[in-house]
Amino acid sequence: MTRHFLRDDDVTPAEQAAILDLAVAMKQDRWGAKPLAGPQSVAVIFDKSSTRTRVSFHVGISDLGGIPLIISTANSQLGGKETPSDTARVLERMVSAIVWRTYGQDGLEEMAAGTTVPVVNALSDDFHPCQLLADLLTIREHRGALAGQTVAFVGDGRSNMAQSYLLACATAGMHVRVAAPDTFDPSPDVVTAAENRAAETGGSVLVVSDPVAAVAGADVVVTDTWVSMGKEDEKLERLRIFEPYRVDDRLMSHAAPDAVFMHCLPADRGYEVTADVIDGPRSIIWDEAENRLHAQKALLAWLLAA
Ligand code: CP
Ligand code: NVA
């Protein structure tokens, strides 16, 4: 059966670990694996802007011996003119996988249900699972292990990043905490799914409104923009509501003494994080950005072999 990667818990804990092991191997030998030799093509579709995801998939598919087809919705028949399932049925006749950055998770689900090739979520309103594979790889490199580590996400708890942190870290056996204003709590369904995973892996899940309670003793502190793509109309209100959730030196002082800071980027310095923190010695954001490449190459290779 075709495997898809639409959310972080679409892989089991063992499968997630296998993908990360493959990413480590691919990082060590960047041009050694050519599972897309042929060359096979992969469609990478964008309904929203991107720098990292666009470049890392383009370069990664090329590294794997394949051809990336980078498609903007604005120049395609998607986006109201053709359904995701009809699009998928056409693409599957020509490409080996479909990668899609979009708004609703339902579109991705429709795409996946209608096709025989793997579909990968390159960011939706609800999840950013490719970013989390990169983030887990980065945490593993800097902390030596994932299971047992404590991660605190501070900011928009309903965002794709917060919700992916919950699912991916629980899958990895980590202790994941989210600090968000009550009106921006993660979806209860996602929290339940993360709790179920944590029960399997020995991890834990905590959602609070107090950023200090989330960050206390944490090994990794994470934030993301307060205004995700598609939420621009709410910008002024969000800047007001999220003001107490800025990651600054004072908040970082509550974390473990050797804690690291992460951000998927792009960042708004002075809003969700101060320049002192994101550009300071604890920040590992550039390794995190590079690891998009290695993690996604491993994901594609794994999905094509599954
Ligand atoms: N982190 C991330 O997905 O960045 P882009 O929006 O630039 O792809
Ligand atoms: N939460 C952000 C992530 C950007 C990579 C957004 O959706 O805009």
Side-chain angles (χ1 to χ4, degrees), residues 132-153:
L132 259 289
L133 288 178
D135 286 18
L136 293 182
L137 177 60
T138 313
I139 295 168
R140 219 169 98 160
E141 286 173 349
H142 282 267
R143 309 286 314 180
L146 293 175
Q149 296 282 310
T150 298
V151 176
F153 179 98

Side-chain angles (χ1 to χ4, degrees), residues 28 133 141 167 243 263:
Q28 281 163 358
L133 288 178
E141 286 173 349
L167 294 183
E243 180 70 23
H263 190 309

